[in-house]
Every structure is written in structure tokens, then in C-alpha cells.
Amino acid sequence: MKLLICLMTLLGLGSLSAVHASQDGEVTLKLIETSDVHGCYFPYDFIRNKPMKGSLARVSSYVKEQREKYENVILMDNGDILQGQPVAYYYNYMDTISEHVCAAMLNYMKYDVGTMGNHDVETGHAVYDRWVRQCNFPVLGANIVDNKTGKPYLPPYQVIEKEGVKIAILGMITPAIPSWLPEQLWSGLHFEDMEDCARKWVKIIREKENPDVLVGLFHAGPEGNKLDNVVENGSGNVAKSVPGFDVVFMGHDHTRRYEKVVNVEGDSVLLIDPANMSKVVSEVTFTIKKQDGKVVSKQVEGKLVNMDGYAPDADFLNIFSGAYETTMDFVSRNIGRIEHTISSKEAFFGPSAFVDLIHQLQLDITGADISFCAPLSAYAEIKKGDICVSDMFNLYKYENLLYTMKLTGKEIKDFLEMSYALWTNQMQSPDDHLMLLNEEDNGFGRFKNPSFNFDSAAGIIYTVDVTKPQGEKIRIERMANGEPFDLNKTYRVAVNSYRGNGGGDLLTKGAGIPKTELAKRIVYSTDKDLRYYLMKRIEEVKVLDPKPLNQWKFIPEEWTVPASKRDYDILFGEKASE
């Protein structure tokens, strides 16, 4: 009986589609994109223990509203959804038996299509393969290629038909994954250049599907910048150089964008990006006129819609209340105690208890001679008192593995030369900035470069002369244990996997190690993320009393000390949190 009902339903839908296909007139399509959600599923920040803006719960209310107004809504996610808030971490690594809460939420919201982001790949095969299987919609990845078959690991595109209008959606990811992530996380795969991949699949889509609307859903920005000779953000190049796209939905770079570009055939292509954390969504409206069953005109308009005006979906919160409570219990678990408040803000101006705590833990875990570490967030803070799991997401923002690598003394010095050149201004007078700053926030606060590439070192005693150019800034006096430092000697160095795989170019352009040689330098790797080991170590130690190691300093101090105070006020005087 059930089979008969299903068949009748399918036949009925088929008849309905045929009726729509024969109709002339105007069809309105509403395409909605979320991107870089980063675990912001609930309107609550489990790291800072306070309500927050954005969240899938608010997006759910907005989508319900749009579906009441419009018959033809297509809902898409553009990757980086499995990493960020502890709720994602818990269902990635702690509870691997239950349905992944992210898949359950996206299924509840009736997403039509998705893509993978680099931070989704960062979770590893076991996590993202499970998540993809559990999603009731295709997760696309035309340029994620299976080495064994030479074919896409995920579906390259999806065709959706609305009132006789055929929409083809091509999904891709930034191909720069190997620059950030260890191969064990993406084993058996490689990532094709976006423009080359798009040319191939647009040709196939045109010939096989003949769509009325062609959509790009690309987890990459438009900048066209290169990373290790790979175009990291190729969305703009694809839109301009590969004819056929009506709109390209972007992500990855956490930058709100709305612009129209002209492609090589003189056609307009809309580029749109909602940035991150579900605070804003991309909304694109197609107004399509049909005559004799064919599309004769298309009008494309888009906007970025702020979610502040939408209350969280009460049904969403009710259905997933169990996951909320489970996450609250997880992040509230006590793992130790800290004797005084520490903040990442001081880490930019000299040795700090915050970063030096990570240095010390990295050295303890690996037994390395030297540690490299950067402040991953400019505004992180752990308050005096009990340390909970939630504090670990402040202490260490990303799911990096921990490596021990072999580097020569010269490579260590050159690494630090580049790091501090990204970080500090070359002062010409005592009135200059110590930090390398922009006049306004260009995506990294006032910093000219991202602070997660501002590595300092522990295990060596050194000075940073900010009046000197790169190559002459760093003077390493000795090892921290009093032994001489030798530029020709090989040392064991603790680094996170992002850095160890070439992220930030400090090992490649800075230390001069060819990208192909980095893997040979790794002598040890943890099998779990660094945050896990930091938690375990704190549970063992029980009470932390972190203090600056005071193993390096900026010179000349008569310039750098006053400049530090001025720049601190510029960076942090009025802004207390991210």
C-alpha cells in the first residue's frame, strides 16, 4: 500500500511539473546562502558564556518567513560549519555515535544543497564523511578529487527545478587545503584549481543539463591571491573568466560583499558573501519571464540580510534543546584552576603569560628544544579561578595537531625574522608605531597582517630590534637553559600543524624550507588536536600559575616601551571584546 501511495505521489508530482513547465509568465526564485557558520547553531556563545547575535536558530526563523512569502526558495550552505563553537566540537569528537547535530539541524531547516569548507576538512575524514552521509541533501565539491578514481569525491553539482525553471548549482572549495592541513585529514584526495575545474564542469553542465540559471557556490573569496602558487580565493576569477554564471555565492574570507562584475563575454555576474557566524545571510532574487515554455529574460538582484531582527525559531530551540544542554554540561566541566587572569592582548608587546602558557605546555607535551606559537585571537582571556572546558576554546581557537619538527638554528632565526616583520613596524623615530598597523580595520582589526602568524619563540633567549629591517631584527643570544645557540645545529621545534604544513609561509618563505620538504621535517605528530592535549595536561597539573617566561624583548626599550603603551591604547583602549 505504501509503495502504491509513493508511486501515485511521484506520478502526481511529475504531472504537476509538466503543467508548470508549460506555463508562461513570471517566476520568482529566492536563493538564500549561509556561509562560515563556524558552529554558531544556537544564539548562545558557549565559549564566552553569553548570548550572541546570529545563529542558525535565527536563520531558521528568517527562512520560514521567506517560504511563507515565496514558493520557490532554495536554501544553501557554503561550508565551514563544523568548526568553531564547542557544540560542533562535541559532536565531531566526543559523541561520534549520535546523529551529528549539524546534520540534524540542516535537515530540519530543509537545506537544498551545501559545500565543504577548509575547516570542515580540518575535522578529518571520520567527521566529515559521517556528516555528509547524514545530510539529506547533496554536499558538493567539484574540485575535491578522489585520487583512486580521478572523479569528484563529492557530487560536483546539483540541478533543482522550480516551475519549469532549471537551476544548476556548481560547488567548489578553495584548493589551498594542503597549505594549512596535514594530509592525514584529507588522505586520498587532491584539490583542483577552481578556474580549471569550473571550465570543465560548466561545459558538462551546459551540454548535459542546459540550465536556465547557473549558480556558483564556492567556499572561497574573490581576491585571486596565491598561496604556495595555488589561487586561494578564486571566486572572482571564475566569475569573470568562465562564462555562464548568473551569480556566485562566496565564503571563506569572512568579508561581507555585494558587487556585480562583467565576465569575458560582457555579461553581468553577481558576487555575494554573507561573512561569518550566521549574523547575515545572502539573499538573491531571480525574476524570470517565460514564453512558450522558454526563459526569455532574467533579472537578478541580491542583498545581505541581517539576522538581528529575527527571534530564534522556538521550534528549532525546542527540538535541539538536548544538544544545547549536553553542550552546556560539556563546556562547564571543571578541568583545573588558574591563579590569575591572563589575556592575549599583552602577547603583542612582549612575553605574556597567555602565550607563554601555550609555549610551556607545547614543550612539556613534546619534549622539544624550542616552541613556536602565536596568539590565535587578539581578545582572548581566561579569568582567575576555575578553568572549564569552555576556556580551552579561548586559549586555543583552532583544531590544530601538534608537531615536532627538525629545524636548523639558521632556519629558526629566519622564521622569526619573517614573523616579527609581519608583526612590527620598522621604527625610524621614538614617535613611530611599534606595531605594523593600518589606518582602519581591514579584516584583522588595525593589524596589517593576521595575528595568528605572529609567532614568538620559547626555549631561546633573543631580542627583536624594531629599528632594523627583516633579516637583521633577531639576535639569538643563547638557549634558555644556558647552552650556546648554534645557527648550524639542528633543533627539535614544537609547532602547530597549520604552521608545520606551511601555513602563514613562515617555514617556507621565512625559513626557506621548500614546501615539498616540510613533511620530512616532522618527527612527531599528535593524533588528536592540540586543544585535547592542553586540556589533559591542565587536568594533570591541576593548578596553573602562568607567568611570562621573559625570554625575549623588543629593543631599543627607550623607544619600544612608550610605543607599546600608545599602540595598546589604539588596539585595545576602547574595544574590550571581538
Side-chain angles (χ1 to χ4, degrees), residues 328-518:
M328 284 296 293
D329 290 343
F330 171 60
V331 299
S332 301
R333 182 170 67 85
N334 183 284
I335 59 173
R337 182 173 177 79
I338 189 166
E339 292 297 301
H340 53 89
T341 299
I342 59 173
S343 167
S344 63
K345 295 176 184 177
E346 288 76 23
F348 302 101
F349 305 97
S352 73
F354 189 96
V355 166
D356 285 352
L357 170 60
I358 300 174
H359 276 311
Q360 192 61 62
L361 289 170
Q362 288 189 165
L363 291 170
D364 290 346
I365 292 165
T366 62
D369 305 305
I370 295 167
S371 167
F372 288 148
C373 179
L376 300 185
S377 173
Y379 303 95
E381 181 179 76
I382 298 178
K383 293 186 179 297
K384 175 183 176 181
D386 290 340
I387 302 174
C388 297
V389 170
S390 59
D391 292 311
M392 292 297 93
F393 291 82
N394 255 326
L395 182 64
Y396 211 85
K397 190 174 183 179
Y398 300 111
E399 279 82 76
N400 290 311
L401 303 179
L402 178 60
Y403 287 172
T404 305
M405 302 184 73
K406 287 187 175 181
L407 302 179
T408 67
K410 184 178 186 307
E411 289 167 343
I412 290 166
K413 178 183 182 298
D414 290 345
F415 177 106
L416 291 171
E417 289 282 1
M418 180 175 175
S419 175
Y420 283 93
L422 293 173
W423 177 357
T424 59
N425 183 35
Q426 185 179 349
M427 297 181 71
Q428 305 294 326
S429 79
D431 297 324
D432 289 343
H433 290 295
L434 172 62
M435 300 289 101
L436 194 58
L437 301 176
N438 287 319
E439 289 301 315
E440 57 186 27
D441 185 345
N442 287 336
F444 306 115
R446 286 286 300 277
F447 289 117
K448 187 172 183 179
N449 297 301
S451 64
F452 53 75
N453 288 329
F454 297 174
D455 278 41
S456 61
I460 53 176
I461 307 299
Y462 65 101
T463 58
V464 183
D465 189 338
V466 295
T467 67
K468 300 290 180 62
Q470 180 176 344
E472 301 175 24
K473 288 180 178 290
I474 307 299
R475 181 176 178 270
I476 302 175
E477 298 175 0
R478 64 185 183 278
M479 300 296 293
N481 63 8
E483 294 178 3
F485 179 82
D486 187 344
L487 290 174
N488 298 310
K489 184 177 177 179
T490 297
Y491 295 92
R492 291 164 58 90
V493 181
V495 296
N496 66 39
S497 55
Y498 170 80
R499 189 72 70 233
N501 287 291
D505 295 330
L506 296 180
L507 284 171
T508 50
K509 293 181 181 177
I513 303 170
K515 172 78 172 176
T516 54
E517 288 188 17
L518 290 178

Side-chain angles (χ1 to χ4, degrees), residues 533-550:
Y533 293 96
L534 293 173
M535 286 192 284
K536 290 296 183 186
R537 183 62 179 167
I538 291 169
E539 286 179 316
E540 291 172 4
V541 174
K542 292 185 174 58
V543 179
L544 296 178
D545 187 17
K547 293 180 173 60
L549 295 174
N550 293 322

Side-chain angles (χ1 to χ4, degrees), residues 82 91-92 95-108 111 126-139 154:
L82 295 178
Y91 285 94
N92 286 347
D95 181 354
T96 60
I97 304 301
S98 301
E99 180 183 16
H100 198 296
V101 70
C102 179
M105 288 173 170
L106 298 181
N107 292 339
Y108 164 80
Y111 271 76
V127 175
Y128 59 77
D129 286 347
R130 164 184 161 226
W131 172 72
V132 167
R133 286 195 305 269
Q134 292 174 349
C135 288
N136 295 337
F137 54 87
V139 178
L154 300 170

Side-chain angles (χ1 to χ4, degrees), residues 290-341:
K290 295 170 56 184
Q291 186 175 331
D292 299 328
K294 296 181 178 180
V295 172
V296 294
S297 71
K298 287 184 287 188
Q299 183 178 347
V300 186
E301 295 296 334
K303 61 181 178 179
L304 297 172
V305 183
N306 197 306
M307 294 294 101
D308 283 356
Y310 291 87
D313 176 2
D315 290 337
F316 180 105
L317 296 180
N318 182 53
I319 290 169
F320 300 108
S321 60
Y324 178 91
E325 295 299 333
T326 296
T327 306
M328 284 296 293
D329 290 343
F330 171 60
V331 299
S332 301
R333 182 170 67 85
N334 183 284
I335 59 173
R337 182 173 177 79
I338 189 166
E339 292 297 301
H340 53 89
T341 299

